[in-house]
Amino acid sequence: MPDLGMFPRSAWRRVYETTLTGMVDAVLDYGDPTGAPRLRAELASYLGRVRGARVEAGAVVVTTGAAQGFAVLAAALRASGASTIGFEEPGSYGVRGHLESHGLKLVPVPVDGDGLDVAALERTGAPAVFVTPAHQFPSGVVLAPARRAALVEWARRTGGLIVEDDYDAEFRYDRDPVGCLQGVAPDAVAYIGSVSKALAPALRLGWLAVPEKWREAVVERKAWADLGGPVLEQLAFAELLAGGGYDRHLRRTRLEHRRRRDALVAALRLHLPGLRISGVAAGLHLVVELPDDVDDEALAERARAAGLGPLPLSRMRLTGGGPPGLVIGYAANPPGELETAVSVLAALVAASHAPRR
Ligand SMILES: Cc1ncc(COP(=O)(O)O)c(C=O)c1O
């Protein structure tokens, strides 16, 4: 979760007012179900500039969040005869729910220190795969260059579809983020993003760009889903992008997230020395690996009772079990709160070791 208190209220008020003042009445009619043309143009340019995406304005589909991107893609895949999709193991518990609820069976594909194991994907025979290449959720690893090349090669050779969720790519703290996979293989990648981690989930604003051969099916499903998303929000966001307000907001939040991540890492090193923190310095969360004898579900439950909200790593695996860990979000809390939370967590971890026999 982002810090909802950091939502740029003044900037949003200005762009919303500009939108309401300047728009013609026809804007209030049913519009293009794939989104307001102005936002699609702004997004194509933003995604090219910031994420290295290669997408024409006409190929952008504005969605009501990444969630709708998953829904229309899953429906298009099902209509093409696909019933399975390769899924990162560990992977996002939330995304798994979306894809399963739209009728796809998820096939686990292991993630190691280089990201998704492409050879293992090949062995599953799945016709599509869900990936988070820039910052894998939850492990935080970046898909290594050789794996990126292998994944694209797999897609081109088999006709498989790569579903790229670029969910928190604006937030990398140690260097510039790697460009999106879509930029190197627009013919093989369905690209999904949203403003949920950067502005607020409540805006329900996201985007989807798919290879040409999937376009008709996706656009048709988007149209039948809702005849298009809320246009005033789309135009206000276009205005924010055009005026540089989104970039400014990202710069501000990136600095603050980094401060919060550093504070969390320092508190973990102080109160829980010896536990490994996995993943690169990016995003809104990190993973702490726990000793093998700790039940992470039970620990997360006790943490919840103490007012904290870490998620157990084992819940992120389709096959269950595996090395225990905690997924900890840091973007929504200032450094002082993170430090206090870690001291509470450390006491719970100390009490969580299995009794010695
Ligand atoms: C990794 C990941 N990406 C995207 C989403 C959905 O985000 P949005 O608010 O854009 O629908 C979720 C949550 O379901 C998620 O876990």
Side-chain angles (χ1 to χ4, degrees):
M1 279 291 289
D3 187 339
L4 302 177
M6 288 180 73
F7 183 78
R9 290 186 189 222
S10 307
W12 193 259
R13 192 179 295 117
R14 277 196 300 276
V15 293
Y16 215 90
E17 181 153 12
T18 305
T19 299
L20 279 172
T21 310
M23 73 190 190
V24 295
D25 291 347
V27 162
L28 296 168
D29 200 349
Y30 293 105
D32 184 331
T34 61
R38 172 138 195 255
L39 177 57
R40 295 162 74 204
E42 288 297 338
L43 276 173
S45 137
Y46 169 79
L47 294 172
R49 176 168 60 81
V50 173
R51 300 297 303 127
R54 273 197 285 158
V55 55
E56 302 283 322
V60 175
V61 177
V62 179
T63 60
T64 51
Q68 191 177 46
F70 305 142
V72 297
L73 265 180
L77 279 162
R78 296 277 290 131
S80 77
S83 57
T84 61
I85 183 167
F87 196 73
E88 296 169 328
E89 173 86 340
S92 164
Y93 186 70
V95 176
R96 167 180 159 187
H98 287 292
L99 296 175
E100 284 178 341
S101 79
H102 292 286
L104 287 174
K105 184 174 176 331
L106 271 49
V107 186
V109 180
V111 169
D112 60 25
D114 284 337
L116 187 91
D117 180 342
V118 181
L121 166 65
E122 175 109 42
R123 288 193 292 275
T124 68
V129 65
F130 173 87
V131 276
T132 47
H135 184 231
Q136 201 269 335
F137 190 92
S139 74
V141 302
V142 177
L143 191 65
R147 293 278 178 87
R148 287 164 69 95
L151 187 57
V152 169
E153 192 278 325
W154 164 84
R156 289 189 173 144
R157 178 167 39 79
T158 65
L161 180 67
I162 301 168
V163 179
E164 175 176 33
D165 182 2
D166 213 21
Y167 72 103
D168 67 358
E170 287 91 354
F171 301 119
R172 176 98 194 224
Y173 312 119
D174 52 346
R175 46 158 283 180
D176 285 338
V178 291
C180 66
L181 204 53
Q182 192 274 354
V184 290
D187 55 312
V189 177
Y191 180 81
I192 293 181
S194 84
V195 301
S196 292
K197 308 289 186 275
L199 281 172
L203 288 176
R204 306 314 300 140
L205 263 176
W207 46 89
L208 173 64
V210 298
E212 183 63 37
K213 67 175 176 178
W214 289 93
R215 197 161 147 65
E216 197 181 324
V218 158
V219 169
E220 190 186 23
R221 269 153 195 87
K222 166 62 183 166
W224 286 122
D226 58 11
L227 302 178
V231 173
L232 295 184
E233 274 69 16
Q234 292 180 18
L235 290 176
F237 182 45
E239 192 68 34
L240 193 70
L241 279 166
Y246 194 54
D247 291 79
R248 280 192 294 280
H249 177 68
L250 287 172
R251 275 199 295 277
R252 195 164 67 89
T253 46
R254 200 178 291 122
L255 280 178
E256 185 56 27
H257 288 167
R258 190 197 171 134
R259 213 165 70 86
R260 293 177 182 196
R261 186 181 193 279
D262 288 349
L264 175 60
V265 169
L268 287 167
R269 296 221 164 107
L270 179 69
H271 295 289
L272 287 163
L275 292 194
R276 211 175 85 87
I277 298 163
S278 71
V280 296
L284 288 75
H285 79 278
L286 53 73
V287 172
V288 182
E289 298 173 9
L290 293 168
D292 280 346
D293 64 346
V294 174
D295 176 342
D296 59 6
E297 276 281 358
L299 176 61
E301 196 49 52
R302 279 196 292 279
R304 189 160 288 278
L308 311 180
L311 291 173
L313 185 59
S314 58
R315 197 182 296 169
M316 313 282 165
R317 292 196 187 87
L318 284 161
T319 51
L326 289 179
V327 182
I328 305 178
Y330 51 78
N333 302 88
E337 283 181 23
L338 292 166
E339 153 96 63
T340 307
V342 173
S343 66
V344 172
L345 189 63
L348 295 174
V349 171
S352 292
H353 292 286
R356 288 187 194 284
R357 289 164 203 250

